[in-house]
Amino acid sequence: QAESQAQLKSLFVKDLPTEDFSNDKLKKLFAPFGKIVSTFYKVNSGIGGKDEVNAFGFVNFEGENEAKAALTGMNGMKIDGKMLEVSYAVSKKEREAEFKKKRDDSKRDNQQRTIYIKNFDVENVTVDMLK
């Protein structure tokens, strides 16, 4: 439970500016919402063999209400032509579990929708007949 309360104070910020931005600027950007315990800013470039550059950050507030206000106030805000995506931070373990669940759900959905028919007579069957 202590971990989940800490998560309600920590925000993940996606699509931050990649140029002329810093940890200090991230802190100043979120400072109007309350006392910030810590921030972290990182620029990633060339992930997965792509030439794409992106930046993200974490903002940890002293209180849950401050973090909630920042989430509401900053999510969707445009900075340097990019729209910020702000969400509560989750641990890597929880993120991986959520990703696995979505992937498994997607596989199950696709399996339920896909029908394979062997030796199908394409010349004599119409779409109306299949409905």
Side-chain angles (χ1 to χ4, degrees), residues 2-67:
E3 185 178 322
S4 64
Q5 283 183 331
Q7 288 176 339
L8 295 177
K9 296 177 185 179
S10 300
L11 301 178
F12 173 71
V13 187
K14 183 179 172 185
D15 291 332
L16 286 166
T18 55
E19 294 180 19
D20 195 32
F21 202 79
S22 66
N23 205 38
D24 288 338
K25 288 186 179 183
L26 178 61
K27 191 171 188 173
K28 286 177 188 171
L29 188 63
F30 281 82
F33 297 98
K35 185 169 182 186
I36 295 173
V37 176
S38 65
T39 57
F40 175 80
Y41 170 74
K42 172 103 170 125
V43 176
N44 285 329
S45 59
I47 296 176
K50 298 178 184 175
D51 291 335
E52 203 172 293
V53 177
N54 61 41
F56 67 91
F58 291 93
V59 181
N60 299 306
F61 284 92
E62 191 171 83
E64 292 176 18
N65 292 336
E66 297 164 322

Side-chain angles (χ1 to χ4, degrees), residues 64-83:
E64 292 176 18
N65 292 336
E66 297 164 322
K68 185 177 182 178
L71 176 84
T72 304
M74 295 299 290
N75 189 39
M77 177 176 272
K78 271 196 169 184
I79 296 179
D80 291 350
K82 290 180 124 184
M83 191 176 295

